[in-house]
Amino acid sequence: MTITEWVAQTVPDGSDAGLPDGFQVQIDMRCARRGDLRYLVGGSPTRMLRLGDTALGMTSADGRIEVCDAATRSLSRTLLEAGIAHPRPMAGPTPDDVTIVIPVRDNQFGVDRLLAAVAGTRVIVVDDGSAVPLTAQGALVELIRFEHNRGPAAARNAGAAAATTDFVAFLDSDVVPEPDWLVMLLAHFSDPLVALAAPRIVGLSAHPHEGRQSMAERYENGYSSLDMGPAEAAVAPGTSVPYVPSAAMILRRKSFCGFDEDLRVAEDVDLCWRLHETGWRVRYDPVARVAHDHRTNMREVLSRRRYYGTGAAFLAQRHGTRAAPMVMTASMGVAVAALLSRTTFGLVLAFLVLGRTAYRLRSRLGDLPDAPVAAAQMTGRAAGYGLLQAAGAICRHYWPVAVLLALVSRRFRCLVIEVAIAEGLIEWVRAVLADTTREPAIGPFAYLLCRRLDDLAYGAGLWEGVVRERDLGALRPVVTR
């Protein structure tokens, strides 16, 4: 955990922050211990910030800060970078500054539906080698056609190259944006460091109890891999939102480094990580929503998951440990392994390791109110996350190995069954608690079945990519100090 104290002198002139006057940030009040803004604990990875009297004087009682000078500009940037505050921009570019690029192949119906939804905005449709040439009608619509299929990355790049506006929005032909989605996302670009902003992607059939729907459709509508959840976030590798899908996103053209045309899968993850590496920021805003026409057949859903899994090997080659299935400290790794051993010795060892971790953390928290309780809570959460991370890897990344070991070891077989059940039910509960604005799309046991099938498909694709690329990077866990 990183501990930082912010004072006005941290950045004397605030010249490197660049937030405009009038820009506001909102401290996540869940980070304030007992509502005390002097001590802020949160972010991803977890850190603690101590706000001095000067900083508190710039902050309202409900945690709002408005940029008006160098000091507020510096404080706001620090809180944003820590993930302890969220942006509340007051203005931004207009839809007239945007060109929408639609890469498409063999989906005339989707193109027509999408053009009707974005009428009045500049659009470039890139026909990526459709068997029957597509048509695109409209005064502000331009059509580019490839004679042969070159992939979605190449189609998006061609559309972006033909655009003349400062911002480019990418929308797949199987989505339909809700009204004002552009206005909501464009406001984020008033921060000059933001290169990309993305909406929440929900199911086009947003109400799971209307009409007869298959289990696959209800699972996709509620827990699609395209849906990054109900919580706004800064997008960065290793955080709760490590990337955003290219099915719907807006980019600042001067920051756009192009999709990697050698990739047919995971090109959106690669783009987000390259932007982050070069110092740009990416924002995920679930208030803006785009509906996606999900697959309704379980075979199609699992086939797509397997295809997504093949991209892990490419990401490991290009981004190294950022594509690792597990990342944890050595001490937490020992504690998690000890707990999974399900032995008395393992339980004692885990207790000792976690106790030492909590003690060391307590010493770093200094004068934080209720520091012992905070240290115990944070250590417990870290252990819980470590267990979930390990359980998810067993069921998803390492399931071929887990199955082989389960065949020869009764103890390991019992562990795998328990882990598979517990992890699925816990994730269902977490998803329900995270999004209380809607009813669960599917019950816990149906979710458990779908999730395990989802993991089997993704893991099969992952191993397929690893074997094809002859690179174990996507399977190699990372242990940090």
Side-chain angles (χ1 to χ4, degrees):
M1 186 185 81
T2 302
I3 299 179
T4 306
E5 181 168 4
W6 190 93
V7 293
Q9 290 76 21
T10 304
V11 182
D13 59 4
S15 59
D16 62 340
L19 293 172
D21 288 350
F23 192 100
Q24 297 184 15
V25 300
Q26 174 65 55
I27 294 175
D28 188 336
M29 295 304 289
R30 294 173 299 179
C31 299
R33 298 290 300 179
R34 293 189 173 184
D36 186 354
L37 292 170
R38 187 177 297 275
Y39 301 95
L40 302 174
V41 180
S44 181
T46 303
R47 65 194 72 196
M48 186 179 88
L49 270 66
R50 296 187 183 96
L51 301 188
D53 292 337
T54 303
L56 289 173
M58 305 173 190
T59 310
S60 67
D62 63 349
R64 186 68 67 104
I65 302 165
E66 181 175 349
V67 174
C68 59
D69 55 22
T72 52
R73 189 170 289 113
S74 172
L75 174 59
S76 297
R77 177 62 73 194
T78 299
L79 293 170
L80 287 176
E81 293 297 297
I84 288 176
H86 301 294
R88 295 293 182 264
M90 308 307 292
T94 69
D96 290 338
D97 300 316
V98 180
T99 298
I100 296 175
V101 173
I102 306 172
V104 57
R105 184 187 185 194
D106 297 325
N107 188 9
Q108 183 67 63
F109 171 78
V111 170
D112 294 340
R113 180 179 59 187
L114 181 51
L115 289 178
V118 299
T121 307
R122 293 183 184 87
V123 177
I124 297 176
V125 177
V126 183
D127 182 351
D128 189 18
S130 297
V132 177
L134 302 177
T135 61
Q137 305 295 326
L140 299 176
V141 178
E142 177 183 352
L143 177 64
I144 298 174
R145 174 169 170 78
F146 293 165
E147 291 302 322
H148 304 285
N149 177 253
R150 293 167 51 186
R156 294 189 188 101
N157 288 345
T164 58
T165 52
D166 291 336
F167 298 90
V168 176
F170 296 107
L171 289 177
D172 284 356
S173 62
D174 53 1
V175 305
V176 180
E178 294 186 358
D180 297 329
W181 75 285
L182 269 179
V183 174
M184 295 176 186
L185 291 180
L186 285 171
H188 288 285
F189 293 99
S190 58
D191 180 349
L193 288 187
V194 170
L196 189 159
R200 184 178 187 182
I201 298 179
V202 298
L204 191 57
S205 299
H207 303 288
H209 301 297
E210 290 185 4
R212 295 180 59 85
Q213 293 183 323
S214 66
M215 181 184 296
E217 188 173 4
R218 287 184 287 128
Y219 178 69
E220 281 284 88
N221 283 335
Y223 313 100
S224 167
S225 60
L226 299 177
D227 186 352
M228 308 311 289
E232 60 183 316
V235 179
T239 66
S240 58
V241 183
Y243 72 95
V244 285
S246 54
M249 58 172 56
I250 304 177
L251 276 149
R252 190 189 301 269
R253 281 187 69 225
K254 73 175 184 179
S255 71
F256 182 49
C257 48
F259 289 95
D260 187 336
E261 298 186 12
D262 291 334
L263 297 180
R264 291 286 183 130
V265 62
E267 74 280 0
D268 42 13
V269 185
D270 172 70
L271 175 68
C272 291
W273 291 0
R274 282 188 288 124
L275 287 171
H276 182 79
E277 288 168 1
T278 54
W280 289 100
R281 297 294 175 257
V282 178
R283 296 297 312 184
Y284 169 66
D285 189 345
V287 174
R289 291 159 51 109
V290 169
H292 181 266
D293 199 357
H294 292 316
R295 291 166 177 81
T296 59
N297 178 279
M298 185 61 77
R299 177 177 293 183
E300 294 177 353
V301 170
L302 298 181
S303 175
R304 197 63 182 176
R305 292 292 194 275
R306 181 202 61 79
Y307 181 62
Y308 288 157
T310 62
F314 299 131
L315 293 174
Q317 288 178 339
R318 288 163 170 77
H319 300 280
T321 57
R322 287 181 171 173
M326 292 192 295
V327 179
M328 63 180 70
T329 63
S331 59
M332 191 57 65
V334 170
V336 167
L339 289 170
L340 290 177
S341 72
R342 301 183 306 152
T343 63
T344 302
F345 173 78
L347 183 62
V348 172
L349 177 60
F351 178 81
L352 292 175
V353 171
L354 294 176
R356 179 175 177 269
T357 300
Y359 176 79
R360 296 181 64 184
L361 182 56
R362 163 64 187 90
S363 66
R364 300 182 64 191
L365 292 177
D367 58 349
L368 177 73
D370 297 328
V373 175
Q377 290 174 338
M378 294 168 68
T379 302
R381 281 197 294 266
Y385 178 73
L387 283 170
L388 279 177
Q389 194 179 177
I394 290 172
C395 296
R396 191 174 183 87
H397 301 81
Y398 302 135
W399 71 258
V401 176
V403 168
L404 290 176
L405 292 176
L407 292 175
V408 299
S409 169
R410 182 177 180 276
R411 174 182 288 273
F412 196 82
R413 182 162 59 251
C414 292
L415 172 65
V416 170
I417 292 172
E418 291 171 3
V419 161
I421 295 173
E423 191 271 349
L425 295 180
I426 289 172
E427 288 297 344
W428 182 83
V429 172
R430 292 181 70 198
V432 171
L433 294 178
D435 194 354
T436 57
T437 61
R438 60 181 184 180
E439 295 182 27
I442 198 169
F445 297 107
Y447 172 83
L448 176 62
L449 173 62
C450 291
R451 183 174 177 85
R452 295 287 76 97
L453 291 174
D454 189 329
D455 286 345
L456 290 174
Y458 182 91
L462 187 152
W463 281 79
E464 177 187 331
V466 165
V467 171
R468 184 175 58 235
E469 299 300 318
R470 299 180 181 179
D471 188 336
L472 293 175
L475 293 170
R476 191 177 298 120
V478 173
V479 178
T480 62
R481 294 185 62 181

